[in-house]
């Protein structure tokens, strides 16, 4: 876990893994950093001067996230309000205009989605396990027709003779649960990434790209892992949880495919049962690992904001 925040405002070693010092305002970590041992943060050019605690005065400044726009600094933290560097009235020192995205509101939204995701994952694990087993049994029953069609290409397999309504119902219900869980998880990951980005944490990719990469072919094998691990400081123990969850999730997917192929190609029933059982167990463990990851990220962001984490 990141170190316990100090009680006095000042500059301290950055708990978020950069080679710098980060300012603590007495309640929460800010997004302003300075070289280790450097002088108090000086006001950027064009501002009205530093605040009493050494932080820059409220003004427009170049976006630290590298967007090329100006981001509004409210005197204590970066806000979510961006304008073009060439926009009229956006010179450093001017007041923000238009609706400002409240960073804390983003965190609250991510926190609510985190609670929903943890609840759904309790059901998603058993649902995925049931789907793996039901699919394996259904494909094994279809394998004679499939193999016959492979041996005699003109023949069209008639799978209706081996279809089982009960197995189809189990697979369909499990699919609905997994779809709902996936949508909520993506929304949580996107909002958590948005909060981390607005608080100045270094992200390798834009928050919503990292979230939606869960359903983008090819990149879905790696980008979501990087998007999730970037939500935690470099030395945070929770990063090991993320690695464990992602390993279990990838292993579950690979074994699920292997089970389906073995069943469809007429593998021995004992062999198919063993594969399906192992895949089902991995699915359950992966779901609980995902719950731990969501809870860990939520707690880390609540600590960053100086707010109590919500328990499930």
């Amino acid at each position: 876990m990141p170190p316990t925040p100090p009680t006095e405002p000042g500059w301290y070693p950055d708990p978020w893994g950069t080679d710098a010092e980060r300012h603590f305002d007495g309640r929460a970590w800010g997004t302003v950093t300075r070289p280790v041992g450097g002088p108090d943060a000086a006001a950027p050019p064009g501002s009205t001067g530093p605040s009493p605690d050494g932080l820059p005065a409220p003004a427009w400044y170049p976006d630290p996230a590298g967007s090329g726009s100006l981001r509004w600094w409210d005197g204590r933290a970066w806000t979510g309000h961006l304008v073009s560097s060439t926009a009229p009235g956006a010179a450093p020192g001017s007041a923000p205009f238009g609706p400002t995205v409240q960073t804390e509101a983003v965190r609250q939204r991510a926190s609510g989605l985190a609670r929903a995701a943890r609840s759904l994952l309790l059901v998603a694990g058993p649902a995925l396990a049931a789907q793996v087993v039901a699919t394996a049994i259904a494909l094994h029953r279809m394998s004679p027709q499939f193999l016959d069609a492979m041996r005699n290409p003109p023949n069209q397999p008639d799978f209706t003779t081996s279809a089982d309504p009960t197995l189809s119902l189990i697979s369909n219900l499990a699919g609905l649960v997994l779809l709902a869980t996936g949508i909520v998880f993506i929304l949580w990951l996107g909002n958590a990434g948005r909060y981390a980005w607005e608080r100045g944490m270094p992200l390798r990719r834009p928050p919503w790209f990292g979230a939606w990469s869960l359903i983008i072919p090819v990149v879905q094998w790696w980008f979501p892992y990087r998007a999730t691990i970037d939500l935690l400081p470099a030395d945070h123990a929770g990063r090991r949880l993320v690695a464990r969850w992602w390993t279990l999730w990838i292993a579950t997917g690979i074994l699920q495919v292997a089970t389906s192929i073995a069943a469809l190609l007429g593998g021995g029933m004992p062999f198919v049962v063993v594969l399906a059982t192992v895949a089902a167990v991995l699915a359950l463990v992966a779901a609980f690992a995902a719950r731990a990851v969501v809870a860990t990220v939520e707690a880390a962001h609540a600590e960053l904001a100086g707010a109590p984490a919500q328990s499930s």
Side-chain angles (χ1 to χ4, degrees), residues 31 58-74 77-85 90 92 94 96 101 103 194-195 197-200:
T31 52
W60 293 104
Y61 300 115
D63 184 14
S67 68
S69 302
L70 298 178
R71 183 179 291 272
W72 181 256
W73 167 260
D74 66 7
W78 294 105
T79 71
H81 193 71
L82 292 170
V83 295
S84 169
S85 58
S94 64
V101 177
T103 302
R194 173 73 179 275
Y195 175 74
W197 174 71
E198 289 188 3
R199 291 305 304 265

Side-chain angles (χ1 to χ4, degrees), residues 179-219:
L179 177 62
T181 304
I183 291 173
V184 172
F185 192 89
I186 288 173
L187 292 175
W188 165 76
L189 185 56
N191 279 278
R194 173 73 179 275
Y195 175 74
W197 174 71
E198 289 188 3
R199 291 305 304 265
M201 294 171 61
L203 303 183
R204 287 163 232 265
R205 295 174 183 88
W208 283 105
F209 178 74
W212 287 107
S213 64
L214 272 165
I215 59 174
I216 300 176
V218 181
V219 301

Side-chain angles (χ1 to χ4, degrees), residues 121-234:
L121 283 166
L122 285 173
V123 185
L128 180 56
Q131 187 183 63
V132 169
V133 174
T135 301
I137 295 174
L139 290 177
H140 193 270
R141 292 179 179 178
M142 295 176 182
S143 64
Q145 293 93 326
F146 176 77
L147 293 174
D148 181 65
M150 292 287 291
R151 298 188 190 98
N152 303 283
N155 295 345
Q156 293 297 322
D158 182 12
F159 292 134
T160 59
T161 58
S162 56
D164 188 321
T166 301
L167 295 176
S168 298
L169 178 62
I170 292 174
S171 293
N172 291 336
L173 290 177
L176 290 175
V177 172
L178 295 173
L179 177 62
T181 304
I183 291 173
V184 172
F185 192 89
I186 288 173
L187 292 175
W188 165 76
L189 185 56
N191 279 278
R194 173 73 179 275
Y195 175 74
W197 174 71
E198 289 188 3
R199 291 305 304 265
M201 294 171 61
L203 303 183
R204 287 163 232 265
R205 295 174 183 88
W208 283 105
F209 178 74
W212 287 107
S213 64
L214 272 165
I215 59 174
I216 300 176
V218 181
V219 301
Q220 65 185 173
W221 293 92
W222 182 248
F223 281 18
Y225 165 72
R226 297 307 322 180
T228 306
I229 208 169
D230 283 350
L231 301 178
L232 295 168

